[in-house]
Amino acid sequence: MARLLLRDGGHLMGCACESLKYVVQGAAKIAQSAVGMGLADEATIEQRRAICRACEHAVPCQANPKRYCKCDRCGCWLKHKTRLAGEYCPVGKWRGCEVVGPGS
């Protein structure tokens, strides 16, 4: 199956391949968040989460509809996306949520 997905010199091609690429990238970001690599500072995380909770693109969790789990624009899990320093809002609502930390 991998040979079918990687054609033309090993580049990802076609709809299914692009979807697979995003699934793999998303899984890597969830793992990064889960182990605590590349995290934003707590103030930035809380500011981002507050923005997401008020956003029309936030999708409620099935288990607890009072909480918001995903973004319907990018498909990311908000718990993890809001934690990672290098992430951004797909509709630009995080402007002004600069990451504060050792590299700043």
Side-chain angles (χ1 to χ4, degrees):
M1 174 124 177
R3 279 183 287 181
L4 296 174
L5 297 175
L6 298 173
R7 292 200 171 197
D8 189 28
H11 292 67
L12 291 174
M13 297 174 47
C15 226
C17 295
E18 283 300 309
S19 295
L20 177 63
K21 174 181 146 183
Y22 292 120
V23 168
V24 170
Q25 287 175 343
K29 289 179 182 183
I30 289 171
Q32 181 182 353
S33 168
V35 299
M37 292 175 49
L39 300 183
D41 60 282
E42 286 299 318
T44 300
I45 294 169
E46 288 306 313
Q47 188 177 13
R48 288 174 172 182
R49 287 182 177 169
I51 291 167
C52 290
R53 280 191 295 270
C55 181
E56 68 275 14
H57 299 293
V59 177
C61 301
Q62 289 181 349
N64 184 355
K66 293 180 181 178
R67 294 185 60 213
Y68 293 96
C69 288
K70 289 184 87 173
C71 172
D72 73 4
R73 293 300 299 245
C74 63
C76 290
W77 295 99
L78 297 175
K79 174 182 178 180
H80 299 289
K81 185 175 186 84
T82 55
R83 290 177 48 138
L84 296 172
E87 286 297 305
Y88 63 93
C89 172
V91 293
K93 291 188 177 189
W94 289 356
R95 289 189 186 109
C97 293
E98 285 79 21
V99 175
V100 178
S104 301

